[in-house]
Amino acid sequence: MLFNRAKDRVFYQTLIDAAANLVEAMQLFRENVETLEEKEQFAERLKELEDKGDDYTHLIIRELNQTFVTPLDREDILQLAVKLDDVLDGVEACASRFVYFRVHQTTPYLIQFADILERSAKYLHEAFIALEKRDFATIRKLSVEINLLENEGDRLMRESVGSLFENPTDPIELIKMKEIYEKLEGVTDTTEDLADVMESVVMKYA
């Protein structure tokens, strides 16, 4: 029994640690887009956190392969880990694009996207802490907040891309920024996907 509880703790704690790693990445991303003056250094630091996130995912998979009885359905644990990794991969890819697209100036839209992603990551971290406690009411509330932020991301993507076509002067700049805005909106979609997985877990166990 004690062994099972220890094993359960490994799964929950690893997911919580991975979510905390995501929060750190989103905070770095927000700092990055405030000026984009040191985008190369930020991209390197985000890549390190993305690698760390991969390690958490591999640890979850290894534990799933070695554990007969898990605290949640195996598929749910795997989905939670993979979706967390997908969110981190998405924001790291955006930071990389600033470097190889040679984006030198930030925009109000980039800062707003970064704020949405940072808040979403914090809600996800709180939700994983609540999951270990089986605090399903809190998870539901946090899922609603994440969904609202995703809706805000949709609106922001329409506004940001629309603004590029108002007085276009440089088609290359337009193409670069359009891809980045759409990629950022895609990351908000992935945060909502992760929240949806957590909601499905709540429906099973509440």
Side-chain angles (χ1 to χ4, degrees):
M1 193 69 166
L2 287 173
F3 176 77
N4 284 342
R5 281 203 293 269
K7 276 290 185 181
D8 289 356
R9 179 68 178 154
V10 168
F11 288 111
Y12 287 124
Q13 189 59 50
T14 304
L15 289 169
I16 291 168
D17 290 345
N21 187 57
L22 178 64
V23 172
E24 185 178 351
M26 293 305 190
Q27 288 171 336
L28 277 175
F29 185 77
R30 179 185 49 75
E31 290 174 30
N32 184 23
V33 300
E34 284 173 3
T35 63
L36 290 179
E37 288 177 356
E38 299 178 348
K39 54 185 174 292
E40 291 83 4
Q41 293 94 317
F42 276 102
E44 287 177 13
R45 290 166 69 188
L46 278 160
K47 184 67 177 74
E48 290 171 3
L49 292 177
E50 193 264 335
D51 290 342
K52 190 175 176 182
D54 287 341
D55 290 341
Y56 286 128
T57 305
H58 296 151
L59 175 57
I60 288 283
I61 293 170
R62 187 163 65 247
E63 290 296 328
L64 285 172
N65 288 333
Q66 296 174 355
T67 306
F68 183 68
V69 178
T70 55
L72 303 169
D73 283 353
R74 309 173 79 82
E75 295 79 9
D76 290 332
I77 294 172
L78 182 59
Q79 274 284 89
L80 290 169
V82 168
K83 288 293 183 185
L84 256 175
D85 195 50
D86 288 345
V87 176
L88 185 50
D89 286 349
V91 78
E92 187 275 328
C94 290
S96 295
R97 278 166 171 75
F98 293 142
V99 177
Y100 63 75
F101 281 0
R102 291 175 170 77
V103 179
H104 302 301
Q105 288 188 326
T106 192
T107 70
Y109 295 116
L110 288 175
I111 293 170
Q112 289 177 67
F113 266 120
D115 179 62
I116 288 171
L117 291 173
E118 184 181 12
R119 283 189 285 158
S120 296
K122 288 178 179 177
Y123 287 143
L124 287 169
H125 184 233
E126 290 177 33
F128 277 105
I129 292 171
L131 183 63
E132 182 178 17
K133 298 174 182 176
R134 301 279 176 133
D135 183 358
F136 299 132
T138 294
I139 293 173
R140 288 193 185 98
K141 290 176 185 175
L142 293 167
S143 293
V144 169
E145 294 297 330
I146 292 167
N147 289 337
L148 290 172
L149 287 172
E150 191 277 332
N151 291 339
E152 200 174 326
D154 286 343
R155 176 195 58 75
L156 192 57
M157 192 270 287
R158 291 191 295 270
E159 281 187 19
S160 59
V161 172
S163 72
L164 297 172
F165 291 90
E166 285 177 358
N167 296 294
T169 55
D170 186 338
I172 301 300
E173 283 299 312
L174 186 152
I175 291 167
K176 290 193 299 188
M177 295 310 298
K178 180 175 180 291
E179 178 172 333
I180 289 172
Y181 289 146
E182 290 176 343
K183 183 72 175 174
L184 285 166
E185 193 276 330
V187 181
T188 68
D189 285 345
T190 310
T191 63
E192 184 182 41
D193 291 343
L194 177 50
D196 289 344
V197 174
M198 296 197 83
E199 285 248 59
S200 72
V201 171
V202 168
M203 289 177 65
K204 286 181 185 178
Y205 294 96

